[in-house]
Amino acid sequence: MSTTRIGSFNVENMFERPKVMGRNATKHAAPILAAHARFNELIAAETYAPEVKEELKEHLATLELLRSDRSKYAILRRIRGRFLARHRTGETSVVASGRESWVGWVELTTEPISELATRHTAQVMRDVGAHVLGVVEAESRELLHMFSASMLKNVGWTPYEEVHLIDGNDERGINVGLLTRDDHQVITIRTHVYAKDSSGVVFSRDCAEYHVRTPAGPEVVVLVNHLKSKGYGAPGDPIGARRRFRQSVRIARIVNRLRDEGHEHIAVVGDLNDTADSEALRPLFQRTGLRDISEHENFDWDHRLGTYRGVNEKGKIDYVLLTPELFAKATGGGIFRKGVWRGPRTKNRWDVYETMTNEVHAASDHAAIYADIDWTL
C-alpha cells in the first residue's frame, strides 16, 4: 500500500455524554460547565481560605449541590473525610480545611446517546475510511475498542486493528485517541498531559503523540489534540483564548523538537476550537510551517467552509495540519459531513444519512476531515 488517509473526527462521546452537554441542554449549560471546572480546580488547593470556601459554595449553588449530593446535572462525590456541613437552618458551610482533609470531586451526570447516533458515528468512520484516524471526545480506550469491535462490524466494516487512548486532563472523561488499520502500526506513544509552563498545566486534554509506521515504509508522527473549548467562561472567551495560545505554543515546540530529531512527516490533527486566523492559533502556524490540508487544490469542502454544524468560515475548527514535507505528498483531502445534522432552513444543504431524521440522531456536531498521502511522491 503506497497511500495513507489521515483523518480527524470529534465523535462527541460514543455511548454517553454529560447531560448538560446534550442537544437538549438548557441555557444554563455554560454556567454549569464553568462552575464544574472551577470547583474541581479550587479543591486542589492545600488550604481553603475563607474566600475560597465562599467561592466553592457559589459554584455548588450553580450546580444545585448545596442541599444534596446529586442534582440534575452534577454529583458531589465524597470518598473520605468531610467536605460540607448541611445545617437544619438551611445553611451549608464548607468544613474541609484543604485537599488533605477530604477526598472527593464533582462530576457531571451522563445520559445515553441515541442508538442511531452511535450507528451514524460508525457509518462516518466507515465512509471516511481513514487508515490513521485521530478521535476527539472518546470516553475511554475500553469503550473506543468496544465501539470499533462491535459497531464497525454492525455497519459492514472491519474493526480497526489498533485502538489507542491515554486518559487526559479533562475530568469529564473526554479524551483523544488514535485508530489505525491496514498495517499502519503504532511503534511509539508519548503523552504530554504533564506538560507545564509558567502558568501551570498546558493541555486541557492531551497532545497525544503517536509514531506510526506505514506499510509503504515511511514513519508519520501524528499529534492528536483537543484544545480549550470556547463558550464556558467570560464573555469574549479571554481565558479560553489565552489557554489555546499556550497550547499552540507548546504544540509548535513539540513539532519543532520532532523535526530537530529528524522526523519530516508530522500531522497535527484534532479539534483546535478556533479559526486559523485567530491570535490563539498564531504560534502553531507561524512557528512551524504547518499547512492545513484544506489549502490543497484538490480539497473537497462538501458544500460548506466550516467543520462545526452548519457554520462556514468561523466554524472551521477541526484540522489536519501537515509539515511541508508531508503536504508535498498530499494528493487532496476533504470534509465528510453526512453525519452532521442540518436544519430545515439550512442553505446550501449537504447530504445526510437517510436514517438521521432528528438532531439527536446526529453522529456529531463536527464533520470529519481527512488528508490523502501518496508516499511515492
Side-chain angles (χ1 to χ4, degrees):
M1 177 184 289
S2 62
T3 60
T4 297
R5 175 166 286 187
I6 302 172
S8 175
F9 185 29
N10 185 327
V11 298
E12 291 191 320
N13 294 32
M14 293 164 294
F15 296 105
E16 290 188 339
R17 66 167 53 99
K19 187 178 294 185
V20 72
M21 296 174 69
R23 292 181 173 86
N24 296 320
T26 70
K27 63 182 180 179
H28 304 298
I32 288 171
L33 288 168
H36 167 261
R38 181 61 176 161
F39 179 90
N40 285 331
E41 179 184 349
L42 287 173
I43 59 173
E46 293 183 8
T47 302
Y48 301 154
E51 61 271 19
V52 171
K53 291 185 176 184
E54 285 303 310
E55 186 177 349
L56 286 168
K57 285 173 56 178
E58 291 173 8
H59 296 313
L60 288 175
T62 301
L63 296 162
E64 299 182 358
L65 294 173
L66 276 179
R67 302 304 300 167
S68 172
D69 285 354
R70 180 181 290 267
S71 68
K72 182 177 181 180
Y73 294 117
I75 301 170
L76 176 61
R77 298 287 189 196
R78 292 180 292 170
I79 307 302
R80 177 178 59 80
R82 192 181 184 202
F83 177 64
L84 290 177
R86 295 186 174 108
H87 308 285
R88 293 181 180 179
T89 60
E91 292 294 316
T92 299
S93 57
V94 175
V95 295
S97 59
R99 180 74 278 186
E100 293 297 318
S101 64
W102 77 294
V103 176
W105 61 90
V106 165
E107 66 185 53
L108 298 174
T109 57
T110 60
E111 60 184 357
I113 292 173
S114 156
E115 183 178 346
L116 265 178
T118 300
R119 180 180 178 84
H120 292 144
T121 300
Q123 289 177 212
V124 170
M125 289 188 182
R126 176 198 67 193
D127 295 342
V128 170
H131 303 104
V132 178
L133 180 65
V135 291
V136 176
E137 294 196 29
E139 294 98 314
S140 67
R141 183 188 176 277
E142 292 79 6
L143 288 178
L144 187 58
H145 175 77
M146 183 190 306
F147 177 89
S148 174
S150 59
M151 291 305 301
L152 292 183
K153 280 186 177 179
N154 191 257
V155 298
W157 209 39
T158 55
Y160 276 90
E161 292 158 8
E162 297 191 20
V163 176
H164 300 275
L165 185 147
I166 302 170
D167 285 341
N169 291 321
D170 196 308
E171 295 171 344
R172 295 168 295 175
I174 54 176
N175 302 297
V176 299
L178 193 79
L179 305 174
T180 66
R181 63 186 304 112
D182 297 336
D183 291 324
H184 287 75
Q185 300 176 347
V186 175
I187 56 176
T188 302
I189 300 173
R190 179 180 291 159
T191 179
H192 295 278
V193 293
Y194 299 109
K196 292 184 178 180
D197 60 14
S198 59
S199 298
V201 173
V202 175
F203 292 108
S204 318
R205 266 66 69 159
D206 191 7
C207 173
E209 179 181 327
Y210 297 97
H211 295 236
V212 182
R213 180 185 294 125
T214 67
E219 178 184 314
V220 58
V221 183
V222 183
L223 302 174
V224 190
N225 286 271
H226 184 193
L227 300 195
K228 180 72 175 75
S229 303
K230 287 184 177 181
Y232 306 135
D237 186 43
I239 296 175
R242 286 196 293 271
R243 186 78 181 273
R244 287 191 297 279
F245 182 88
R246 292 169 52 213
Q247 292 166 348
S248 296
V249 168
R250 182 53 62 96
I251 297 168
R253 185 182 302 175
I254 294 169
V255 169
N256 290 329
R257 184 259 303 166
L258 287 165
R259 299 194 74 181
D260 289 342
E261 292 173 356
H263 299 282
E264 293 184 337
H265 306 129
I266 305 168
V268 175
V269 308
D271 176 2
L272 304 187
N273 268 312
D274 223 327
T275 55
D277 62 353
S278 66
E279 178 66 16
L281 299 190
R282 179 176 55 79
L284 187 56
F285 291 99
Q286 292 189 356
R287 301 184 187 184
T288 63
L290 288 169
R291 296 189 63 185
D292 191 336
I293 188 58
S294 66
E295 300 173 17
H296 199 283
E297 60 182 358
N298 293 325
F299 187 82
D300 179 7
W301 284 99
D302 192 10
H303 292 81
R304 311 290 283 187
L305 297 178
T307 58
Y308 181 67
R309 294 189 174 182
V311 183
N312 262 307
E313 291 95 332
K314 291 300 180 183
K316 173 63 170 67
I317 59 176
D318 299 273
Y319 294 86
V320 175
L321 305 177
L322 310 174
T323 48
E325 296 87 348
L326 191 55
F327 192 90
K329 295 183 179 297
T331 58
I335 290 173
F336 186 88
R337 60 182 81 249
K338 207 169 182 179
V340 178
W341 174 253
R342 58 157 202 244
R345 297 181 181 178
T346 303
K347 297 180 180 179
N348 198 12
R349 292 153 67 88
W350 57 91
D351 292 336
V352 299
Y353 294 116
E354 291 182 359
T355 47
M356 205 169 77
T357 58
N358 189 290
E359 187 175 3
V360 298
H361 301 153
S364 174
D365 280 345
H366 296 251
I369 183 170
Y370 61 89
D372 289 327
I373 306 300
D374 184 345
W375 297 108
T376 66
L377 294 178

